[in-house]
Amino acid sequence: MDPKQLFVDQRLIGMCVYCGGNPETSDHAPCKALLDDPLPNDLPVVDACNECNRGFSSDEEFLACFLECVICGTTDPSRLSRPKIARTLTARPAIAALISKCREDDLFGGITWKPDLARVKNVVTKLARAHMAYELSLPKFDAPDIYDVCPHALMTPEQKAAFEEPVGEGIQPWPEIGSRAFVRACALWPEYQDNGWMVIQDGRYRYRVDQGPGGDAVRIVISEYLACLVAWA
């Protein structure tokens, strides 16, 4: 059996995974802005319409740049660790100016960063929808029932353990028959997998998709800094 020849219900595919429209193009999930060069081979891609594919770009670029500035404590391109983000901020000073407005310095030398939460939610929810579609062939067009983001370092040990290795209650269902997650559950296609997590680029991006009696959940860690949970009941 070729694990890349999926045999899911055809009614679940062939549409933009973000809006259900005509799949005019494909979209990387995650987007390239969140990854370093050279990019991994065979990045996951999902079907998307042109409008959705273009519509998230500015928010994705903002989030990628914002996280790097927070991690490095500066918007100065010369002091950033990721060359890709340094080039972006150099070429687009408007983004650097926008991120600078998110920074607040206190009298004791501390720094507080307050992102545009709507932009962050737009990107994280988009990523979660893409991962659900890619892994389970299940489109999720409704608003999620749970949305939470938190810096990984600010989690308590208990919160981190629950996030990293969630334990479901009751009998756990098999993934959607014929989906990528189903094939992996049959141990036929390990691709990227590390203890349930799909590691797209070490230290830069990983995610996992879980199903249970309570619903479907996507966990994402970006730059080993931002932990995200998006779930549908």
Side-chain angles (χ1 to χ4, degrees):
M1 171 183 173
D2 181 354
K4 294 193 177 182
Q5 296 299 317
L6 304 179
F7 50 98
V8 296
D9 188 332
Q10 295 299 300
R11 293 170 296 180
L12 299 176
I13 60 177
M15 67 186 80
C16 173
V17 303
Y18 308 119
C19 72
N22 185 35
E24 301 158 309
T25 184
S26 59
D27 185 37
H28 289 97
C31 63
K32 296 178 181 179
L34 296 173
L35 304 173
D36 287 332
D37 296 325
L39 297 171
N41 294 325
D42 300 322
L43 277 178
V45 294
V46 294
D47 289 332
C49 66
N50 286 324
E51 183 176 357
C52 286
N53 201 348
R54 294 191 302 265
F56 293 101
S57 296
S58 62
D59 289 348
E60 289 169 333
E61 191 171 56
F62 167 83
L63 179 59
C65 293
F66 176 81
L67 290 178
E68 176 66 5
C69 291
V70 171
I71 292 169
C72 296
T74 180
T75 57
D76 181 352
S78 67
R79 296 171 57 192
L80 300 180
S81 300
R82 295 185 61 197
K84 175 183 288 186
I85 302 302
R87 291 194 298 270
T88 297
L89 292 183
T90 299
R92 303 191 182 184
I95 297 179
L98 183 62
I99 295 175
S100 293
K101 293 180 181 178
C102 299
R103 171 176 170 158
E104 294 182 2
D105 297 89
D106 61 33
L107 298 176
F108 305 99
I111 302 174
T112 300
W113 297 88
K114 297 182 178 181
D116 184 330
L117 296 179
R119 282 180 173 243
V120 176
K121 185 174 184 178
N122 193 35
V123 174
V124 172
T125 304
K126 176 248 188 183
L127 291 167
R129 288 193 173 105
H131 297 324
M132 283 295 301
Y134 185 78
E135 294 296 326
L136 299 173
S137 299
L138 291 179
K140 295 289 185 180
F141 303 129
D142 294 338
D145 298 289
I146 298 174
Y147 167 82
D148 191 24
V149 297
C150 177
H152 209 240
L154 296 184
M155 288 178 157
T156 66
E158 294 77 17
Q159 290 172 327
K160 188 174 292 187
F163 180 84
E164 292 288 341
E165 297 186 34
V167 178
E169 297 180 357
I171 298 175
Q172 300 303 303
W174 277 80
E176 182 70 26
I177 299 298
S179 67
R180 287 180 176 83
F182 177 85
V183 174
R184 290 194 189 95
C186 296
L188 295 175
W189 190 15
E191 185 197 52
Y192 298 128
Q193 198 162 15
D194 180 16
N195 195 30
W197 285 87
M198 304 301 295
V199 181
I200 302 302
Q201 191 170 66
D202 192 34
R204 191 60 59 210
Y205 193 98
R206 58 190 172 98
Y207 71 89
R208 66 179 289 162
V209 177
D210 294 286
Q211 287 187 294
D216 306 319
V218 180
R219 289 167 172 80
I220 302 169
V221 180
I222 306 173
S223 293
E224 288 304 316
Y225 176 83
L226 189 67
C228 314
L229 170 63
V230 183
W232 289 265

